[in-house]
Amino acid sequence: MNKVTVLGSLNVDTTFRIKDFPQAGETVQVKSKSNAAGGKGANQAVAAAREGAQTSFIGQIGNDGAGQFMLDSLKADKIDSTFVSENESVGTGTANIMLDDNGQNCILVYGGANQTLTAEEVQKAEPTIKNSDFVVAQFETPQDAAIAAFKIAKQNGVTTVLNPAPAPSNGIKPELLKLTDIIVPNELESASITGIKITDQVSMTATAKKFADLGVANLIITIGDKGAFYSTPDKAEMLPAYKVKAVDTTAAGDTFIGAFVSQVAPDFSNIVSAVKFAQHASSLTVQRLGAQPSIPTLDEVLKVEKESAS
């Protein structure tokens, strides 16, 4: 069983189902509205926990009902929330999600307490980080917090996983990249960071070289319904996606990352099987509504893997 610590965001998601995305100045009718626990960090932690990893979380909430709701959601999945701190002056993060009839989404995120998480708060979690196999971070919390976590991880032989989402407008701090063992962007985030548009195998290979030059030796690019490209110093390959009818893609990428770290070895020796497992997990997620409610369990993923192999 992998031990995974996730540093990241805690958001209460409000999803609005609509026929089509509005144009500028247009008012559209909402078909339905629902609330669920979310945030990229929390989603990834839930995915890791449901796929069998012993999971801990580092983050921050506000002193409000939304914060308690998020704590309860972590505990429901047996995620250790010891190092989720509370900000007395800033509210818990929220996300408003527009979901169209094709299963595509647009998301408006209010960072709230996620954005006030400090390196000092992260350092309090050193005992948990040291005892982990993997530490995962994204960009809905400050980069300085991720740097603090990754420094502790690297000093203790813990593998670091960076999901550069959402892609930061002011770029990624070079120090963070040098502390990263594997980076997992989607194709748009990858292009934003490297300047290389993902179009074919040549562009993927060039992207892997660019990240290696920046200090990250291992890469996975998720490319929606086309699949995922992975690259290590030893091998690289495009793995096609499993074809399903998507109804909501909200937590697909987060499910992929959480499922991946629940299965992969710290030296990435089983990266192919771990990526395929993560693809099966995310293929289940996109067939369901909501963020965390859509994330499958280990038994569900294993069942789909068995069916796919037969």
Side-chain angles (χ1 to χ4, degrees):
M1 178 190 294
N2 281 347
K3 295 179 180 178
V4 175
T5 295
V6 178
L7 162 69
S9 54
L10 296 148
N11 293 332
V12 175
D13 290 348
T14 300
T15 299
F16 301 93
R17 298 203 69 190
I18 55 178
K19 183 175 185 247
D20 298 299
F21 295 127
Q23 303 297 312
E26 181 185 10
T27 299
V28 299
Q29 186 69 32
V30 173
K31 294 181 177 182
S32 64
K33 171 186 171 183
S34 59
N35 293 313
K40 295 194 71 63
N43 295 343
Q44 291 171 19
V46 167
R50 289 184 188 171
E51 308 318 326
Q54 181 180 322
T55 309
S56 301
F57 198 85
I58 304 169
Q60 190 166 81
I61 55 174
N63 181 13
D64 49 29
Q68 187 59 53
F69 176 75
M70 291 308 302
L71 279 179
D72 290 344
S73 74
L74 293 178
K75 291 173 183 176
D77 279 290
K78 298 181 174 58
I79 297 167
D80 182 357
S81 60
T82 301
F83 295 103
V84 175
S85 57
E86 188 177 285
N87 189 308
E88 294 291 335
S89 58
V90 180
T92 300
T94 59
N96 290 324
I97 302 164
M98 291 186 293
L99 177 67
D100 75 5
D101 282 348
N102 295 315
Q104 298 301 308
N105 62 61
C106 289
I107 305 175
L108 299 174
V109 176
Y110 164 67
N114 296 311
Q115 290 298 314
T116 57
L117 180 66
T118 64
E120 289 72 27
E121 287 292 340
V122 172
Q123 287 161 358
K124 294 176 183 177
E126 181 174 355
T128 293
I129 295 171
K130 288 170 63 174
N131 192 41
S132 302
D133 298 305
F134 295 91
V135 172
V136 183
Q138 329 76 33
F139 287 147
E140 287 184 342
T141 49
Q143 289 191 42
D144 285 344
I147 289 171
F150 280 18
K151 278 183 175 177
I152 296 169
K154 297 309 296 175
Q155 289 164 2
N156 292 278
V158 177
T159 302
T160 55
V161 181
L162 180 62
N163 172 220
S169 58
N170 57 349
I172 304 177
K173 294 185 177 183
E175 182 180 10
L176 181 57
L177 289 172
K178 290 174 183 175
L179 292 165
T180 299
D181 290 313
I182 187 167
I183 191 165
V184 190
N186 65 27
E187 73 271 33
L188 298 178
E189 293 152 359
S190 175
S192 173
I193 296 163
T194 65
I196 302 170
K197 185 178 180 179
I198 301 300
T199 57
D200 53 20
Q201 187 77 27
V202 173
S203 61
M204 294 177 201
T205 302
T207 297
K209 184 180 184 304
K210 178 68 172 181
F211 276 117
D213 291 342
L214 293 170
V216 189
N218 303 283
L219 164 71
I220 298 173
I221 307 173
T222 56
I223 314 175
D225 60 5
K226 294 181 178 64
F229 170 80
Y230 76 87
S231 176
T232 71
D234 300 322
K235 54 187 175 181
E237 185 181 5
M238 177 71 185
L239 298 173
Y242 301 103
K243 300 301 181 183
V244 297
K245 172 64 175 176
V247 298
D248 184 358
T249 60
T250 301
D254 297 333
T255 298
F256 180 96
I257 291 169
F260 174 74
V261 296
S262 77
Q263 303 297 314
V264 74
D267 63 357
F268 306 122
S269 57
N270 66 336
I271 190 169
V272 174
S273 62
V275 168
K276 290 180 177 180
F277 178 91
Q279 288 178 305
H280 274 119
S282 57
S283 76
L284 287 169
T285 293
V286 301
Q287 296 178 72
R288 305 166 176 176
L289 291 174
Q292 289 181 24
S294 71
I295 298 171
T297 63
L298 177 59
D299 286 345
E300 289 176 315
V301 180
L302 292 177
K303 180 181 177 183
V304 170
E305 280 200 315
K306 184 177 180 180
E307 291 171 350
S308 176
S310 61

